[in-house]
Amino acid sequence: GPKVLQIPSHQIIDMGQMVTLNCDPVSNHLYFYWYKQILGQQMEFLVNFYNGKVMEKSKLFKDQFSVERPDGSYFTLKIQPTALEDSAVYFCASSLGVGNYAEQFFGPGTRLTVL
Amino acid sequence: GDSVTQTEGQVALSEEDFLTIHCNYSASGYPALFWYVQYPGEGPQFLFRASRDKEKGSSRGFEATYNKEATSFHLQKASVQESDSAVYYCALTGTGSNRLTFGKGTKFSLIP
């Protein structure tokens, strides 16, 4: 089936540094998402993105977070500066359509550790 | 805000047993309800969805029925196999939103 890829699979950085998480969505998909899962807790929505714009974001999507997809390349989540509480697994997802029937396809996640 | 509650954190059964994982939700309006399955090292995979009261979703032998009165969407499978071992997530999207709200997940494993 369609695959979403995430690069890197693991990232370890020092608090205060910048990090960029990369997502290669399903090729014909138009809607992109980031979710965050802290170890032992449930997965939580961060943001969704369409046509170059943030469509919806949660309160977890702090000012230090930004997303973009320049020229149809990777869909990225940038955190600058990072904080200890940003340590989590970040899942990217994409969907062809929108609305509450659209199936979201998830990548395998990037495990971010902030020291 | 919207929320999803999965009663069981872990379930262990013998092969060919009947599996039930309970899911209740709280949301305004008419949410769409989903089940996702996650295998080790992978992201969640869509299993199936239901979008209206009494609708049954099903896939790979799993099924769940949208029950608006009980605000439930319980996952069932008649005869479990080793390959069903995974984490199962119940989720919803609220009216007019694309964000998935997930439950905490239920880890299912087979008793050897």
Side-chain angles (χ1 to χ4, degrees), chain A residues 42 56 98-101 104 107, chain B residues 43 49 51 93 97-99 102:
Chain A
Q42 62 207 85
E56 197 177 358
V98 71
N100 58 10
Y101 309 102
Q104 294 181 27
Chain B
R49 67 175 160 258
S51 55
T93 54
S97 173
N98 300 325
R99 69 169 73 185
F102 285 90

Side-chain angles (χ1 to χ4, degrees), chain A residues 23-27 29 32 49 52 68-75:
Chain A
C23 172
D24 188 9
V26 178
S27 60
H29 283 187
F32 313 110
F49 187 84
E68 64 176 355
R69 191 182 187 215
D71 299 325
S73 60
Y74 288 148
F75 175 52

Side-chain angles (χ1 to χ4, degrees), chain A residues 95-113:
Chain A
S95 66
L96 179 60
V98 71
N100 58 10
Y101 309 102
E103 177 182 343
Q104 294 181 27
F105 290 81
F106 284 80
T110 293
R111 182 176 299 278
L112 176 66
T113 302

Side-chain angles (χ1 to χ4, degrees), chain B residues 25-41:
Chain B
Y25 69 90
S26 173
S28 57
Y30 235 111
L33 304 175
F34 300 79
W35 278 101
Y36 278 79
V37 58
Q38 185 178 28
Y39 300 101

Side-chain angles (χ1 to χ4, degrees), chain B residues 1 3 6-7 14 17 38-39 41 44 46 49 52-54 56 58-59 62 67 70 75 78 83 87 89 101 105 108:
Chain B
S3 66
Q6 291 179 236
T7 312
S14 299
D17 277 354
Q38 185 178 28
Y39 300 101
F46 173 84
R49 67 175 160 258
R52 58 186 182 276
D53 192 21
K54 299 181 178 55
K56 179 188 286 187
S58 64
S59 176
F62 292 91
N67 186 330
L75 181 69
S83 58
V87 179
Y89 291 98
T101 297
F108 168 69

Side-chain angles (χ1 to χ4, degrees), chain A residues 1 22 31 36 46 51 54 71 110:
Chain A
N22 298 293
Y31 299 86
K36 175 183 180 181
L46 286 176
N51 197 26
V54 170
D71 299 325
T110 293

Side-chain angles (χ1 to χ4, degrees), chain A residues 8-14 17-21 36-39 65 77-79 81-91 109-115:
Chain A
S9 57
H10 294 84
Q11 180 88 52
I12 300 174
I13 59 170
D14 292 322
Q17 284 189 313
M18 182 194 76
V19 68
T20 300
L21 308 183
K36 175 183 180 181
Q37 186 174 35
I38 295 173
L39 188 63
F65 288 31
L77 173 66
K78 184 184 293 185
I79 309 174
T82 51
L84 294 176
E85 60 265 27
D86 296 330
S87 293
V89 179
Y90 290 83
F91 291 96
T110 293
R111 182 176 299 278
L112 176 66
T113 302
V114 181
L115 302 176

